[in-house]
Amino acid sequence: MPADSTQRPSLILADRWQDYQLLDCGDGMKQERWGEVVLVRPDPQIIWPKRSGPEWKAWDGFYHRSEKGGGRWENRKPLPDSWQIQYQSLGLTFRIHPTSFKHTGLFPEQAVNWEWSSALIKAARAKGREINVLNLFGYTGAATCAAAKAGASVTHIDAAEGMVKWCKENAALSGLKDAPIRFITDDCLKFVRRELKRGKKYDAIIMDPPTYGRGATGEMWKLEEHLWPLLTECRELLTEKPLFFLINAYTARLSPTVVVNLLTELMSGRGGTITGGEVGLPIKADGKVLPCGIYGRWES
């Protein structure tokens, strides 16, 4: 039996932020407010021209790309090594730290998926159900914190020890120091296979697979080769009545339709609803939308 419903790809906006705002975009750059700090960073999808005006000169940190790869931050004033912002809607707090690769440790557009997964978990918990969530390629753990805050037990997996440590910090900041979260540094595919041998089951799975990557002991990850095998292994980890399956992607090599097709094939016989599309951020200056990635969702 196929999914009960598969919807056409759609765009969903992370528009409930208070501590974050995408101020303006143009000429390959985006200007963002992270709490009280304004950062300017490159984004390859911004190929439209920059609006003229004095607003672009009002920044605290500016990321300059290097022709040799990577880049560096230029600060107009001394900035703290890190600071905190909140996502008030779900009661979450995150540590922001500009890295040498332009990232800050948080993808604010993913708030739409935090809201979605939190609502499903809370509804299941209200019916007396215990929910176990597996978060693969978990990065700094925003999705992990959202699921735990909603009442789930969460297993957080990332191959980078520093990211797992950052997730622990975000959990503590969000009042989840004693929440049932397992923090594990490991290769995702190897971990999933070990969980299958242990007979472990999960009610929900979240994953944000990279295009390329290395596991904790040097294992190579290539999206086109390894995503489907990982998905099929994950399917065997699901309980008899799973709650949801969420795939996020930031690679231009996938389209929302591809992710929907993967989930349709993966969850054949489970019924449920499949949706997919883009996640985006509203641009304050002119009302445009910056597309920031794609998603595919299955829910029972």
Side-chain angles (χ1 to χ4, degrees):
M1 180 176 65
D4 294 335
S5 174
T6 301
Q7 301 177 12
R8 291 181 179 276
S10 61
L11 171 68
I12 51 178
L13 296 182
D15 56 4
R16 301 187 66 184
W17 278 98
Q18 297 179 38
D19 281 5
Y20 170 86
Q21 196 167 40
L22 180 55
L23 301 173
D24 208 349
C25 295
D27 291 340
M29 305 297 287
K30 56 186 177 183
Q31 183 189 47
E32 306 163 287
R33 178 180 62 80
W34 298 85
E36 301 299 321
V37 179
V38 175
L39 302 178
V40 176
R41 301 187 291 160
D43 189 307
Q45 295 203 96
I46 304 171
I47 62 174
W48 56 90
K50 184 187 296 183
R51 299 180 321 114
S52 60
E55 295 85 0
W56 275 95
K57 298 179 181 179
W59 52 263
D60 301 307
F62 193 110
Y63 187 84
H64 297 276
R65 280 197 180 279
S66 170
E67 294 181 356
K68 299 179 181 179
R72 64 177 180 84
W73 286 96
E74 175 190 359
N75 295 336
R76 277 236 174 100
K77 63 181 181 181
L79 294 178
D81 179 68
S82 65
W83 61 95
Q84 299 171 17
I85 69 170
Q86 293 184 326
Y87 188 65
Q88 283 90 345
S89 176
L90 297 178
L92 301 172
T93 301
F94 305 110
R95 182 173 76 90
I96 303 303
H97 167 64
T99 70
S100 59
F101 292 96
K102 84 173 182 177
H103 296 300
T104 63
L106 189 70
F107 294 100
E109 65 276 3
Q110 287 299 322
V112 291
N113 284 321
W114 310 336
E115 296 271 6
W116 173 78
S117 59
S118 293
L120 291 175
I121 293 167
K122 289 177 180 178
R125 295 282 292 133
K127 296 178 181 178
R129 183 177 174 184
E130 298 293 326
I131 300 296
N132 291 313
V133 175
L134 174 62
N135 185 13
L136 298 171
F137 311 98
Y139 194 49
T140 61
T144 290
C145 292
K149 198 77 168 184
S153 298
V154 188
T155 300
H156 176 97
I157 310 294
D158 198 279
E161 185 177 359
M163 296 300 103
V164 176
K165 180 181 178 182
W166 200 332
C167 177
K168 290 182 181 179
E169 294 173 357
N170 284 333
L173 290 172
S174 297
L176 299 166
K177 184 177 181 180
D178 297 321
I181 303 174
R182 288 199 297 163
F183 303 96
I184 299 175
T185 303
D186 204 350
D187 174 77
C188 289
L189 184 55
K190 286 188 174 182
F191 174 82
V192 166
R193 287 171 175 168
R194 284 197 297 272
E195 289 289 83
L196 284 172
K197 291 180 180 179
R198 288 188 281 254
K200 182 72 175 180
K201 293 291 183 179
Y202 293 91
D203 303 290
I205 295 176
I206 300 168
M207 66 169 64
D208 192 345
T211 305
Y212 296 102
R214 285 191 178 274
T217 56
E219 302 89 347
M220 282 297 298
W221 165 272
K222 293 183 180 180
L223 187 76
E224 294 90 341
E225 295 180 17
H226 298 125
L227 180 57
W228 179 250
L230 175 61
L231 289 173
T232 56
E233 301 273 9
C234 286
R235 178 175 55 197
E236 301 307 309
L237 284 179
L238 291 172
T239 55
E240 291 186 4
K241 295 182 179 180
L243 189 61
F244 67 81
F245 202 121
L246 170 64
I247 303 174
N248 296 307
Y250 286 90
T251 173
R253 300 186 183 197
L254 290 185
S255 76
T257 302
V258 169
V259 178
V260 166
N261 289 346
L262 286 168
L263 283 173
T264 300
E265 185 72 21
L266 186 74
M267 304 304 289
S268 177
R270 295 274 193 168
T273 300
I274 295 173
T275 57
E278 293 180 295
V279 291
L281 291 165
I283 303 171
K284 178 186 176 184
D286 55 17
K288 291 191 190 78
V289 172
L290 177 64
C292 301
I294 63 175
Y295 72 93
R297 299 168 171 174
W298 175 90
E299 61 180 286
S300 60

